[in-house]
Amino acid sequence: MKPKVTVVGAGNVGATAAQRIVEKELADVALIDIIAGVPQGKALDLMESAPVERFDSKMVGSNAYDVAAGSHVVVITAGVPRKPGMSRDDLVATNEGIVADVVRKVLPGSPDAVLIVVSNPLDAMCEVARRVSRLPRERVFGMAGVLDSARMRWFIAEALDVSVENTHAFVLGGHGDTMVPLPRFSTVAGIPIPELLPKEKIDAIVQRTRDGGVEIVNLLKTSAWYAPSAAVVEMVDAVLKDKKKILPCAAYLQGEYGMRDVYLGVPVKLGAGGVERIVEIALSSEEKAALEKSAEAVRELFRILKV
Ligand SMILES: NC(=O)c1ccc[n+]([C@@H]2O[C@H](COP(=O)([O-])OP(=O)(O)OC[C@H]3O[C@@H](n4cnc5c(N)ncnc54)[C@H](O)[C@@H]3O)[C@@H](O)[C@H]2O)c1
């Protein structure tokens, strides 16, 4: 049986993720949105590109959830994005209702699916999906760390004029101003960047990574989608192919890193079961304190959730 992925939200991130999934022939895709005509139109336009782009995966668009039934993975991008001057946290009240509604509608037809949350504020929306779905934590997690690490990787590759393929970067914590980029675990061909770049340059890369989202919002007047869609598709790929890939994802901690009952970006092993393991790495006291500060910012949002 061909794998099936539902992408909810046919906006910038959702439609581009759906495009990447069918172009790579990872799965057939059901694209769902509340705006009449938009998911249908985008799916049809994309299928009309298939003869030229040469893919045989199928995409259907709909405003109803019947087309989503039997999905292996559900990607939730429904919600409003940031405008200039807004933080991700400003979106909480609007997107909480949207994410809860999506989970209630999508789950009955796909009770075995893995849910990957993209809507912001990311860590809080993961918690909304977990509370509403009542699924085990293995099957409800969020995309942020792969994106934040990809941004950092690009800045490293650009600074050293090396292939992006040689770079590896490590960003932990919540998907917000308190995210924790870790230079000593960030490498080029296995060499930690503190051995390759001066401290001031590394500090600048760390800050630009933290501000990576806002830099794009200020340019585009809405949030990014090429890198976010690529990041979520890497996670979908790891689940569908049961790759057991270690990727930074927003996962629900139950004692790992000394924290409980909070979503936070940590390295996880992603496979067919979703988050199959949370990988714990030894952190310095400074790094640990930064992670705890990030968790506290996430918990603050949890407290104002209504679900
Ligand atoms: N986690 C990350 O790293 C990351 C990165 C980029 C964007 N985001 C977030 O992803 C979300 C989507 O961003 P975007 O740029 O694609 O926005 P967008 O406005 O282009 O698309 C959002 C889509 O969701 C749809 N939608 C709204 N309510 C819905 C509902 N109840 N059911 C189905 N669809 C619904 C809208 O009609 C719209 O088409 C935002 O919350 C944004 O902040 C997260």
Side-chain angles (χ1 to χ4, degrees), residues 8-14 32-35 65 77-82 91 95 98 101-102 118-120 122 143-144 147 175 223-224 228:
V8 190
N12 287 334
V13 178
I32 294 178
D33 201 286
I34 43 166
I35 305 177
Y65 282 78
T77 75
V80 290
R82 287 195 277 178
L91 306 173
N95 286 352
I98 293 173
D101 179 57
V102 168
V118 179
S119 313
N120 271 321
L122 194 266
M143 185 289 288
L147 167 65
H175 185 50
S223 68

Side-chain angles (χ1 to χ4, degrees), residues 204-228:
I205 287 176
V206 163
Q207 195 53 46
R208 197 173 173 199
T209 301
R210 280 204 190 102
D211 297 338
V214 83
E215 184 176 359
I216 303 261
V217 171
N218 287 339
L219 291 165
L220 294 177
K221 315 302 173 212
T222 188
S223 68
W225 63 88
Y226 291 116

Side-chain angles (χ1 to χ4, degrees), residues 78-80 86 89-100 120-121 125:
V80 290
M86 288 174 89
D89 296 358
D90 293 334
L91 306 173
V92 70
T94 313
N95 286 352
E96 173 179 13
I98 293 173
V99 170
N120 271 321
M125 293 307 107

Side-chain angles (χ1 to χ4, degrees), residues 11-90:
N12 287 334
V13 178
T16 315
Q19 175 185 356
R20 294 187 192 280
I21 291 168
V22 291
E23 284 184 352
K24 288 173 189 266
E25 295 187 323
L26 293 180
D28 288 340
V29 170
L31 182 65
I32 294 178
D33 201 286
I34 43 166
I35 305 177
V38 166
Q40 295 88 339
K42 289 193 178 180
L44 177 60
D45 188 14
L46 209 79
M47 287 319 299
E48 289 169 355
S49 76
V52 183
E53 288 294 325
R54 288 181 288 171
F55 59 84
D56 282 305
S57 290
K58 309 275 187 304
M59 188 188 301
V60 290
S62 179
N63 304 118
Y65 282 78
D66 48 343
V67 296
S71 291
H72 299 86
V73 177
V74 174
V75 176
I76 302 175
T77 75
V80 290
R82 287 195 277 178
K83 299 277 174 256
M86 288 174 89
S87 81
R88 293 178 179 95
D89 296 358
D90 293 334

